[in-house]
């Protein structure tokens, strides 16, 4: 079951210890798909939940605010 945790919300107990893929998932291309497969396999091996951590706004808008953000 997908669960969205945003901002500074407390992490639910069911999500603690999860295997996480971290990145800017503005599109799920082959590289992202492989990363998600690896996270899911590792979570299955460890008998843990798995998930994705992404960023909004895009980190580039913070670190380089004068440059446009490329999105897929």
């Amino acid at each position: 079951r997908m669960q969205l945790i945003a901002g500074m919300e407390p992490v639910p107990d069911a999500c603690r210890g999860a295997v996480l893929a971290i990145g800017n998932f503005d599109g799920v291309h082959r590289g992202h798909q492989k990363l998600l497969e690896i996270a899911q396999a590792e979570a299955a091996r460890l008998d843990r939940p798995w998930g994705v951590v992404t960023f909004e706004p895009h980190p580039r808008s913070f670190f380089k605010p004068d440059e446009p953000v490329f999105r897929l």
Side-chain angles (χ1 to χ4, degrees):
R1 175 182 128 224
M2 185 169 76
Q3 186 169 1
L4 175 65
I5 302 168
M8 298 302 291
E9 294 178 35
V11 175
D13 288 342
C15 296
R16 294 184 183 273
V19 174
L20 299 172
I22 302 173
N24 291 309
F25 295 97
D26 56 345
V28 186
H29 57 69
R30 286 186 203 171
H32 288 145
Q33 290 173 24
K34 185 64 178 175
L35 182 62
L36 297 177
E37 286 174 19
I38 292 168
Q40 189 174 20
E42 185 66 6
R45 186 183 74 77
L46 297 171
D47 193 28
R48 300 281 187 174
W50 72 281
V52 172
V53 174
T54 192
F55 308 94
E56 186 59 41
H58 193 290
R60 188 170 295 148
S61 65
F62 176 79
F63 291 107
K64 295 184 177 185
D66 296 334
E67 293 182 18
V69 175
F70 173 78
R71 295 191 185 263
L72 296 176

